[in-house]
Amino acid sequence: MNAAVRVCLIEDDPIMGESLCERFRLEGFDAHWCTSGTEAMRSLREQAFDVVISDMRLGDTTGEAIFDWAVGALPQAPPFVFITGYGTVDQAVALIKRGACDYVTKPFDLDALIARVQEIATVARAREEGAPGLESLGVSAAMQRIEAMLPRLAHAASTVLIVGESGVGKERVAQRLHASLPDAGHRPFIALNCGAVPETLLEAELFGHEKGAFTGAVRSRAGVFEQAHGGTLFLDEIGEMSLAMQVRLLRAVQERQVVRVGGDRPIPVDLLLVCATHRDLKAMVAEGTFREDLFYRVNVVQIRVPPLRERREDIPWLIRRFLVDIARESGEARRHLTPAAEEAALAYPWPGNVRELKHAVERACIMSPAEWITPAALFPDADLPPPAGDVQASLGDYLRECECRYIRGALESCDGHIGRTAELLGISRKNLWEKMKKLDIGHA
């Protein structure tokens, strides 16, 4: 990284603050220390930072309040890492679900914190420069953990296996891994779905062919291994390969060289190989339908991408991202989900995962002309899903949660502007402030 990493440290403990600042500066970071929330908000408004590190509890405010203010008031809030004690871990976890980057618990490993800050800053700067593939994978703890490990894998691994159900976003994880490579923008990312290519053509697709190797081979052609030289090769659905093709793939993976169909010259390839499958390869090995030696070659490092039903926190986040993309591509006003539609989306199991969710949102936007998308628009061809789980909360708690979700959605649709939000809700600004205070909805 050419320029020093810009860190905003928000810490009112003078001993802790001085110690952290000294270590940051020794590491070559450009560290700016704020001893109060007021000073921090002024600095964040006036300067650009790669990372914000904030204590959860401050003398004049909280780290949560500063985070909420930054999200609503700044054109682009920097990544937040929270320093938390045992009593505020749940609060920090909740903030990560709302978009914060990470947290560390006291006492923490300073070397690990330095490394994490460097990783976060690298990603943040790449996003500023418009590097492709660096969009966040999700706000759930599971996807944040995957995202955190990718820079280390990009630096050290040569073969990675991504597993997960169809539609969970395995290729997005592969793209994100590729984008973590040094100088990724100048390296190729080549993807091939092995299950979508006929067996008779797969060998030539993988390894290329020489002119005249078979009928129709009117000129020589490089396969995906050669095309990905110097970058990343993503082989999706490797579990669909025949045993004969698995033998040929094993040789290429072991030797890191290929021989074109009809050729005899080994061609060396230097690349990051990322394989993916929705099938249980270990069970296939036991059944004799997947080679054990190939399994151990590709299963050096395994990443499991959980289905949406195991990371429901990502569902509202993904929907908002899809709605923003649809509005940008269509040039129309951005749509919004009603609270009831969001509840229905959270309750539905999404067997097709992110792919199914995206198609449902796109269909709702096409078929429903209204600004607010209802459950009927999101699920037009099926009975509406019931509320998630059994009834365990009181009616008062349920209504409070619905009101909180509705106000948060209105605030988001109005970019956090209190006046416009109050007008949208049909209440006064004073009434809105009172409800936000009662429901503990942060804003500044």
Side-chain angles (χ1 to χ4, degrees), residues 76-100:
Q76 179 64 50
F80 269 69
V81 176
F82 290 101
I83 300 173
T84 177
Y86 176 77
T88 54
V89 169
D90 289 345
Q91 188 179 8
V93 171
L95 283 168
I96 288 177
K97 292 178 181 178
R98 287 162 49 193

Side-chain angles (χ1 to χ4, degrees), residues 221-350:
R221 180 176 178 272
V224 292
F225 270 88
E226 286 184 72
Q227 295 171 37
H229 178 70
T232 301
L233 174 59
F234 176 63
L235 296 181
D236 199 5
E237 299 304 348
I238 60 165
E240 307 305 316
M241 281 186 176
S242 68
L243 287 170
M245 190 56 62
Q246 290 174 32
V247 173
R248 297 180 179 88
L249 177 61
L250 174 63
R251 186 175 299 116
V253 174
Q254 283 182 158
E255 300 174 2
R256 282 306 201 263
Q257 61 183 23
V258 297
V259 176
R260 292 179 178 177
V261 176
D264 56 12
R265 178 175 61 90
I267 302 171
V269 288
D270 179 15
L271 48 77
L272 170 60
L273 177 62
V274 183
C275 299
T277 182
H278 74 283
R279 304 185 67 178
D280 185 342
L281 294 186
K282 197 168 186 179
M284 292 179 66
V285 169
E287 295 166 359
T289 54
F290 197 85
R291 292 184 61 93
E292 186 175 23
D293 46 7
L294 178 58
F295 172 71
Y296 287 118
R297 282 290 179 179
V298 300
N299 194 39
V300 179
V301 178
Q302 183 179 124
I303 300 173
R304 176 183 178 269
V305 184
L308 272 185
R309 63 180 176 275
E310 293 181 13
R311 50 181 175 108
R312 294 187 183 275
E313 310 97 305
D314 286 332
I315 293 174
W317 177 83
L318 284 165
I319 291 173
R320 287 192 286 269
R321 201 189 81 201
F322 295 150
L323 290 172
V324 168
D325 291 344
I326 290 168
R328 182 176 61 248
E329 292 168 6
S330 66
E332 299 177 352
R334 180 183 161 188
R335 310 290 185 84
H336 307 279
L337 251 63
T338 65
E342 188 168 315
E343 290 286 350
L346 286 166
Y348 184 66
W350 297 109

Side-chain angles (χ1 to χ4, degrees), residues 159-443:
T159 306
V160 175
L161 176 64
I162 304 175
V163 300
E165 295 178 5
S166 294
V168 292
K170 297 186 289 294
E171 185 166 354
R172 275 188 55 78
V173 174
Q175 291 170 339
R176 182 68 179 73
L177 175 58
H178 171 77
S180 300
L181 292 170
D183 201 25
H186 298 285
R187 297 172 181 264
F189 177 87
I190 305 298
L192 177 69
N193 187 328
C194 300
V197 180
E199 176 74 15
T200 54
L201 300 178
L202 185 56
E203 184 177 8
E205 283 293 322
L206 287 169
F207 310 125
H209 61 79
E210 298 292 357
K211 180 179 178 180
F214 50 83
T215 304
V218 295
R219 63 178 183 274
S220 297
R221 180 176 178 272
V224 292
F225 270 88
E226 286 184 72
Q227 295 171 37
H229 178 70
T232 301
L233 174 59
F234 176 63
L235 296 181
D236 199 5
E237 299 304 348
I238 60 165
E240 307 305 316
M241 281 186 176
S242 68
L243 287 170
M245 190 56 62
Q246 290 174 32
V247 173
R248 297 180 179 88
L249 177 61
L250 174 63
R251 186 175 299 116
V253 174
Q254 283 182 158
E255 300 174 2
R256 282 306 201 263
Q257 61 183 23
V258 297
V259 176
R260 292 179 178 177
V261 176
D264 56 12
R265 178 175 61 90
I267 302 171
V269 288
D270 179 15
L271 48 77
L272 170 60
L273 177 62
V274 183
C275 299
T277 182
H278 74 283
R279 304 185 67 178
D280 185 342
L281 294 186
K282 197 168 186 179
M284 292 179 66
V285 169
E287 295 166 359
T289 54
F290 197 85
R291 292 184 61 93
E292 186 175 23
D293 46 7
L294 178 58
F295 172 71
Y296 287 118
R297 282 290 179 179
V298 300
N299 194 39
V300 179
V301 178
Q302 183 179 124
I303 300 173
R304 176 183 178 269
V305 184
L308 272 185
R309 63 180 176 275
E310 293 181 13
R311 50 181 175 108
R312 294 187 183 275
E313 310 97 305
D314 286 332
I315 293 174
W317 177 83
L318 284 165
I319 291 173
R320 287 192 286 269
R321 201 189 81 201
F322 295 150
L323 290 172
V324 168
D325 291 344
I326 290 168
R328 182 176 61 248
E329 292 168 6
S330 66
E332 299 177 352
R334 180 183 161 188
R335 310 290 185 84
H336 307 279
L337 251 63
T338 65
E342 188 168 315
E343 290 286 350
L346 286 166
Y348 184 66
W350 297 109
N353 293 294
V354 179
R355 184 183 296 120
E356 182 186 6
L357 176 63
K358 183 177 182 181
H359 291 168
V361 173
E362 290 174 342
R363 180 184 58 217
C365 288
I366 292 170
M367 302 303 295
S368 175
E371 177 186 355
W372 290 86
I373 296 173
T374 64
L378 200 59
F379 299 98
D381 302 322
D383 293 334
L384 295 181
D390 297 329
V391 177
Q392 297 176 341
S394 68
L395 178 60
D397 289 341
Y398 176 76
L399 292 174
R400 184 182 188 278
E401 177 62 27
C402 288
E403 185 177 22
C404 183
R405 191 185 300 278
Y406 193 81
I407 291 175
R408 286 189 187 277
L411 281 165
E412 183 185 341
S413 69
C414 296
D415 298 321
H417 192 282
I418 295 296
R420 292 201 301 271
T421 303
E423 184 178 353
L424 176 64
L425 296 173
I427 59 178
S428 68
R429 291 170 59 98
K430 181 174 181 294
N431 195 352
L432 176 56
W433 276 116
E434 289 172 347
K435 286 182 178 293
M436 290 171 63
K437 184 176 180 181
K438 174 185 172 185
L439 298 169
D440 194 26
I441 299 174
H443 195 276

